[in-house]
Amino acid sequence: MLKACRPVVTSEYLKELAQELGATLIGFGDVSYKLAGELKHLSYAISIAISDSPVEVVKTPRFIAYSNQSVGLDVKLESIQKKLVFLLRSCGHKCLAIPPDSLRKDNRFIARLYSLFPHKTAATCSGLGWVGKSGLLINEQYGPRLSWATILTDMPPENIGRPYYASQCGGCSICVRACPVGAIENTDWIRGATKPVVNYLICSQNLQRNKQIIGKAICGLCVLACPVGQGKGSKEASIW
């Protein structure tokens, strides 16, 4: 059960509650630089993540495909998100929940705003990770193996994370070599840059080809290959 609302809710209290409910990571950041006009009144982001593990590895004579997508994890994330939103609103704060990607329902009016704010922005501004060469959010401890949700709010947190402004991938290019269609450009992400680090058209076309073959639009080899968050000598990293 939620604790009774206090006159002032703090970021530390929200963090403790989220962790009690099963969140792996939670961070707070100032995202005012990135907000579209419709969201300008919500200057802060609460970034929430749950660590995941391989859900399935599909092997065929032609390729290997990997998925860490889990509706169960995303449902858990959304449940945590809803409880925090309820608490914030009951304390008089405005907020907007940006749900996990797999739970975004296009038939809801609010879905029109989801594309205006990516989870990566909240996480990088909260100091929870950087955008890797693969275009994935990379956390220092868990690598790209996390599922994310975001809450935008007008509540100024007392503990704002130290944001990432650039990639920390350095000279690593394991994900570049792992991509079966050469969609990863082998360029470093810099906050504010407009050029994408991944050719998403080629990536999407590959996913659609896989869907025709195995019935699922998955690839995920860049997730599987990333050595961050796993031992460099691990089985996953060493196969590339």
Side-chain angles (χ1 to χ4, degrees):
M1 294 180 63
L2 288 175
K3 301 175 184 177
C5 180
R6 300 174 293 183
V8 177
V9 66
T10 66
S11 55
E12 186 60 32
Y13 177 70
L14 292 175
K15 181 178 181 179
E16 291 174 1
L17 176 60
Q19 290 175 334
E20 287 176 6
L21 294 171
T24 303
L25 299 172
I26 177 170
F28 304 85
D30 183 338
V31 293
S32 55
Y33 89 100
K34 188 68 174 179
L35 293 172
E38 298 92 328
L39 306 175
K40 283 292 185 183
H41 61 297
L42 304 172
S43 300
Y44 304 97
I46 303 172
S47 184
I48 312 163
I50 295 179
S51 63
D52 51 40
S53 57
V55 173
E56 60 179 330
V57 176
V58 179
K59 295 183 179 181
T60 77
R62 295 173 57 184
F63 66 88
I64 298 174
Y66 158 87
S67 174
N68 65 340
Q69 300 170 358
S70 170
V71 174
L73 275 182
D74 285 352
V75 168
K76 184 176 181 180
L77 259 178
E78 191 172 46
S79 176
I80 296 170
Q81 188 182 46
K82 286 180 177 179
K83 290 180 172 67
L84 297 190
V85 165
F86 175 82
L87 180 59
L88 285 163
R89 287 178 175 166
S90 66
C91 291
H93 294 291
K94 296 178 181 179
C95 49
L96 172 68
I98 310 294
D101 290 335
S102 66
L103 297 184
R104 299 186 183 192
K105 299 178 178 64
D106 293 337
N107 61 331
R108 293 187 293 182
F109 174 76
I110 195 67
R112 298 180 187 180
L113 297 178
Y114 294 161
S115 61
L116 299 179
F117 194 88
H119 297 309
K120 294 174 188 177
T121 299
T124 56
C125 289
S126 301
L128 295 183
W130 65 91
V131 178
K133 293 179 179 179
S134 60
L136 301 169
L137 196 289
I138 311 294
N139 174 265
E140 185 175 3
Q141 183 177 358
Y142 296 94
R145 291 163 284 275
L146 290 159
S147 296
W148 297 89
T150 301
I151 300 171
L152 297 179
T153 181
D154 63 354
M155 185 202 84
E158 68 273 15
N159 296 316
I160 292 180
R162 183 178 180 181
Y164 281 93
Y165 292 96
S167 171
Q168 303 296 302
C169 294
C172 180
S173 60
I174 291 176
C175 65
V176 179
R177 300 195 301 274
C179 181
V181 292
I184 302 175
E185 304 284 355
N186 199 16
T187 58
D188 290 326
W189 164 80
I190 299 175
R191 190 169 107 166
T194 57
K195 183 180 179 180
V197 296
V198 173
N199 187 321
Y200 290 105
L201 176 59
I202 293 176
C203 178
S204 177
Q205 290 172 343
N206 181 55
L207 293 178
Q208 292 308 310
R209 279 195 296 269
N210 288 356
K211 185 176 182 179
Q212 291 176 358
I213 296 171
I214 62 175
K216 296 181 180 181
I218 60 174
C219 175
L221 298 187
C222 53
V223 180
L224 191 66
C226 182
V228 181
Q230 64 184 13
K232 290 185 178 180
S234 69
K235 180 179 179 181
E236 289 86 351
S238 64
I239 65 174
W240 307 111

